[in-house]
Amino acid sequence: MCGIAGIINLDGRGSNESSIRKITRAMEHRGPDAEGFFEEEGIAFGHLRLSIIDLSTAANQPFPDNSGRFVMVFNGEIYNYAEVKRLIPEYLFHTTSDTEVLIAAYAKWGKDCVKYLRGMFAFAIWDKEQKELFIARDRMGVKPLYYYKDDKRLIFASEVRGILATGIVERKLSHKALVDYFSYQSVSYPYSPVEGILQLEAGAWMTMKAGRLQKGVYWDVSDRAIDFDFSDQALIQRRIRDLMLQSIERRLVSDVPVGAFLSGGIDSSAVVGLMAEAGSSRPNTFNISFEEKEYDESAYANIIARKFNTNHTKILLKPSVFLDELQNALNSMDTPSGDGINTYVVSKAIRNKGMTVALSGAGGDELFAGYPFFDQYIRLQNKKGLWNISPGLRKLLAGLLSAGNREGKTGKISQLLQLPSIGIEQAYPVFRQILSPSLLQHLTSLADPGLAGTAVGDALAMRTDRLVSLPLLSQVSIAEYLGYTQHTLLKDTDQMSMAVSLEVREPFFDQDLVEFVLAIPDRWKKPVYPKSLLVESLKPLLPDEIVHRKKQGFLFPWNSWLKNELKPFADQHIKNMAQRPFVRGKNLIDYWDRFQRGDRNVRWPELWLFIVLEYWMEKNGVM
């Protein structure tokens, strides 16, 4: 796990030494173990290393292949590197690192090397002979890659703030990105919060040669075809178990100890149980516990720790620590997010216990239909006859049901009724939005913030033909991957964990597991109880106390904090944000005042997005 950076001058001339060092200094938290540079005429690479596999200095980067033709910077892990290595017997390896396997794979297969890789990664390879740059990103979008191109150069880095540190890019806010941010609490592909800085999408590659930029997609989550007998439930369950175990085994590959987040829920408990089965030593598990019973899940974590004989550490925190760490967490945001504070606090607590790698249960809800939206979407499809009614009549019905309230649950029902259809590409953006289009128009002057204008809506719309051929629950999973998962969950996990130099691995985001589960018909996946397909596939791994417990999670009293402990901080940032040219300042202040007076139609997450964005803009000097 690392940070990578590069600058290539389009005319092939000049030095980039000063600029590349500015980038790495801005991202030094990503790799405290080593720093390295490569430079030749017109191009420079920078690398920051968090040592996980092959701890020797021989595996430091930038890394050359043994012919000297290629040089690479790489962020992430190739979990199946031992398998790939066996496919390249002609290559003389000098290290035991996945880094060398990756560059050897490129030397043999070129850009097709990505087809062989199972892991999380973003990497760049310079071909000295062809003067060509190749960049690729992992399938699920676990590891980030941002880039900026003008008529003189291409700059890329693991973080936006690295590119900004060069001083080359104007610190100008992207209004197009803001529509997504306010709608879905994060910025989606291909944008970033800064005008001109873009994200390379998941499962994509990019080349630069002779000043020409080319891009392509080598994997898409919606385009799957699995040859399997899906009529046999027992066979399906055995395959899920095998793929889950394989995913865990892959993510235990490390030359440093591997820990696991253990909340005591189904997903983290499944990960820990399979770790105990797959590993040769006792798993290291960590639970964040609280004195307050409404937050504490430690009793369930203790059940799992005892069952699988883990080296268990209970870390006692007060909810107020989330307030104490708030500024540190906000400072760690490379891009603004309405989520992620919890991830920062938990990651820091585990890193302080000496761990550098931890497995997470993130992704289980998305893959095995654990969120309420899965069931809501099925129920919505059962009422699709309503969309045969004329648009005018549906608009009238929407107005009657919402009683003039354009926000909250009734507001979303009103929006749904006015959609041209209730396909996933139409419905998902409504279900997941934080600020509705009408509220966004009321609080900002952003142009035409309709759902069709968001990157999430566009990403789904371009895949409509493939989505309609998939099971309904899989359509929701794919929408989650293309929306909240990639742009909020995975992005926050990366930026918040790497801020404290902790590598987090997510077994539920394994490519082979994801492809298989997405192909399973709804009749096997529709839960008898939450995530029953996963639980039944792993039986008797998880005890009933875990399977049938009430779901908790980090539901802290932000609503109260913003009216009390955080009020001075929030009030100042709301007032500062009200001065921004794209904000309708009076309306925002009025909305904030309504929240302070206890108006239940005003939700704290809506205001929190403005507070976080203002803090991020001030810290990064973005206007």
Side-chain angles (χ1 to χ4, degrees):
M1 190 64 66
C2 309
I4 64 173
I7 304 177
I8 178 170
N9 296 337
L10 302 190
D11 63 4
R13 297 193 296 271
S15 171
N16 292 299
E17 180 181 359
S18 174
S19 293
I20 202 71
R21 290 180 183 273
K22 288 177 182 177
I23 299 177
T24 57
R25 279 198 297 272
M27 305 190 303
E28 59 188 2
H29 49 274
R30 297 189 70 93
D33 296 328
E35 181 182 46
F37 299 94
F38 160 80
E39 185 176 16
E40 65 177 29
E41 185 73 10
I43 185 168
F45 280 170
H47 186 265
L48 297 151
R49 186 182 183 197
L50 178 63
S51 302
I52 304 295
I53 296 174
D54 189 340
L55 307 184
S56 72
T57 57
N60 285 350
Q61 301 179 46
F63 195 95
D65 77 314
N66 57 17
S67 73
R69 174 178 171 178
F70 305 107
V71 63
M72 179 181 72
V73 284
F74 159 48
N75 169 30
E77 306 291 350
I78 307 301
Y79 298 128
N80 68 330
Y81 76 97
E83 302 164 31
V84 177
K85 188 175 185 176
R86 289 192 288 272
L87 300 176
I88 319 172
E90 68 277 12
Y91 189 94
L92 179 62
F93 288 92
H94 300 284
T95 73
T96 58
S97 69
D98 57 340
T99 301
E100 188 169 19
V101 172
L102 176 52
I103 200 168
Y106 184 79
K108 180 170 184 174
W109 295 301
K111 67 183 181 184
D112 285 342
C113 69
V114 292
K115 299 176 182 178
Y116 297 85
L117 308 178
R118 299 293 184 269
M120 53 179 185
F121 54 81
F123 66 87
I125 296 178
W126 176 243
D127 183 339
K128 298 179 182 180
E129 184 178 296
Q130 293 295 318
K131 303 298 181 185
E132 181 176 34
L133 178 69
F134 177 77
I135 299 175
R137 195 164 173 231
D138 68 73
R139 292 165 175 81
M140 299 306 298
V142 180
K143 293 291 101 186
L145 196 289
Y146 296 93
Y147 67 96
Y148 167 82
K149 180 182 177 296
D150 59 22
D151 58 356
K152 295 181 179 179
R153 64 185 71 80
L154 171 74
I155 308 173
F156 68 85
S158 298
E159 295 185 355
V160 169
R161 61 185 145 208
I163 297 177
L164 288 177
T166 63
I168 292 170
V169 181
E170 183 182 359
R171 295 174 182 255
K172 181 181 178 182
L173 197 65
S174 168
H175 285 196
K176 178 64 176 175
L178 285 185
V179 174
D180 262 37
Y181 170 74
F182 284 123
S183 299
Y184 305 114
Q185 70 181 329
S186 58
V187 178
S188 309
Y189 312 136
Y191 308 106
S192 85
V194 179
E195 190 72 40
I197 298 180
L198 301 174
Q199 300 181 62
L200 181 63
E201 68 179 285
W205 55 264
M206 182 169 70
T207 61
M208 172 65 74
K209 184 177 182 180
R212 186 182 178 196
L213 186 68
Q214 288 187 305
K215 292 193 291 184
V217 173
Y218 68 89
W219 188 87
D220 190 286
V221 69
S222 66
D223 189 18
R224 301 273 64 83
I226 300 293
D227 183 15
F228 192 85
D229 180 9
F230 287 104
S231 66
D232 189 329
Q233 184 179 25
L235 200 62
I236 291 170
Q237 291 175 352
R238 283 198 298 273
R239 183 59 176 158
I240 288 173
R241 195 185 199 289
D242 290 344
L243 289 171
M244 280 292 301
L245 184 60
Q246 174 183 268
S247 178
I248 296 292
E249 289 172 338
R250 286 172 171 172
R251 285 156 181 79
L252 291 178
V253 174
S254 172
D255 290 328
V256 299
V258 178
F261 298 94
L262 178 57
S263 69
I266 289 173
D267 301 331
S268 66
S269 298
V271 168
V272 169
L274 292 171
M275 284 177 71
E277 183 174 326
S280 58
S281 58
R282 295 169 64 193
N284 300 293
T285 56
F286 298 85
N287 170 254
I288 305 299
S289 65
F290 303 94
E291 293 175 348
E292 293 79 4
K293 291 188 181 299
E294 64 266 34
Y295 308 129
D296 189 54
E297 300 179 281
S298 62
Y300 299 107
N302 289 340
I303 292 171
I304 295 299
R306 288 194 298 269
K307 177 177 174 64
F308 298 110
N309 189 31
T310 73
N311 295 309
H312 189 58
T313 301
K314 183 169 76 171
I315 303 171
L316 181 64
L317 295 180
K318 292 184 177 295
S320 60
V321 76
F322 289 81
L323 289 174
D324 298 337
E325 291 283 5
L326 178 62
Q327 191 161 345
N328 291 331
L330 292 174
N331 287 338
S332 299
M333 285 186 178
D334 179 51
T335 62
S337 169
D339 209 345
I341 306 298
N342 299 345
T343 303
Y344 175 84
V345 175
V346 172
S347 297
K348 185 173 182 178
I350 293 177
R351 185 67 177 90
N352 287 342
K353 294 295 181 179
M355 301 302 298
T356 54
V357 181
L359 269 58
S360 164
D365 285 315
E366 289 82 354
L367 192 55
F368 289 97
Y371 290 133
F373 174 50
F374 285 87
D375 189 49
Q376 292 166 359
Y377 184 63
I378 294 292
R379 294 203 304 269
L380 190 65
Q381 292 300 311
N382 291 335
K383 294 180 173 62
K384 62 184 179 182
L386 279 172
W387 278 261
N388 294 326
I389 301 173
S390 70
L393 196 55
R394 278 189 283 114
K395 184 175 182 180
L396 178 62
L397 180 61
L400 292 173
L401 288 174
S402 64
N405 182 11
R406 297 176 297 177
E407 311 308 330
K409 183 177 180 180
T410 56
K412 287 187 178 181
I413 292 173
S414 175
Q415 283 188 66
L416 289 168
L417 283 170
Q418 295 179 70
L419 293 174
S421 73
I422 51 165
I424 191 66
E425 76 283 359
Q426 298 281 342
Y428 176 81
V430 174
F431 272 95
R432 264 298 185 185
Q433 69 188 204
I434 305 297
L435 269 68
S436 68
S438 60
L439 182 58
L440 188 53
Q441 286 179 317
H442 178 67
L443 298 178
T444 77
S445 59
L446 299 172
D448 188 23
L451 290 175
T454 65
V456 173
D458 292 345
L460 289 168
M462 67 183 291
R463 293 170 171 85
T464 301
D465 290 345
R466 294 198 294 268
L467 288 170
V468 295
S469 66
L470 293 168
L472 291 177
L473 293 174
S474 294
Q475 292 179 28
V476 181
S477 289
I478 290 169
E480 279 289 277
Y481 285 131
L482 295 172
Y484 171 79
T485 300
Q486 288 186 352
H487 304 305
T488 302
L489 178 62
L490 288 175
K491 192 178 294 181
D492 283 348
T493 298
D494 176 81
Q495 65 181 354
M496 294 305 193
S497 62
M498 289 308 297
V500 295
S501 302
L502 176 74
E503 173 176 301
V504 176
R505 301 175 175 181
E506 300 100 347
F508 284 104
F509 291 121
D510 183 85
Q511 172 198 345
D512 298 315
L513 175 67
V514 168
E515 289 180 355
F516 181 77
V517 176
L518 289 180
I520 297 174
D522 286 342
R523 67 181 183 275
W524 303 128
K525 199 184 297 181
K526 194 173 189 307
V528 178
Y529 53 84
K531 288 173 281 194
S532 57
L533 177 59
L534 173 62
V535 173
E536 295 297 321
S537 299
L538 298 181
K539 268 191 171 181
L541 188 73
L542 302 180
D544 287 345
E545 303 98 301
I546 300 301
V547 173
H548 300 296
R549 55 164 287 198
K550 182 180 178 181
K551 191 176 180 69
Q552 286 177 258
F554 293 123
L555 302 176
F556 296 121
W558 293 102
N559 191 70
S560 173
W561 284 343
L562 286 172
K563 295 174 181 175
N564 296 285
E565 293 92 336
L566 281 177
K567 182 177 178 180
F569 171 86
D571 187 71
Q572 185 59 58
H573 284 82
I574 286 287
K575 288 176 178 175
N576 290 350
M577 175 57 74
Q579 305 302 312
R580 300 288 182 180
F582 62 88
V583 174
R584 302 189 195 279
K586 182 181 182 303
N587 292 353
L588 180 60
I589 296 297
D590 288 346
Y591 206 65
W592 171 244
D593 289 343
R594 284 174 55 192
F595 173 76
Q596 292 298 322
R597 293 194 302 268
D599 187 334
R600 294 186 178 182
N601 290 319
V602 181
R603 301 180 303 142
W604 73 264
E606 298 164 345
L607 290 159
W608 183 242
L609 291 177
F610 287 92
I611 296 165
V612 170
L613 180 62
E614 177 61 30
Y615 188 95
W616 182 87
M617 291 176 68
E618 291 177 12
K619 178 176 175 55
N620 291 280
V622 176
M623 303 299 291

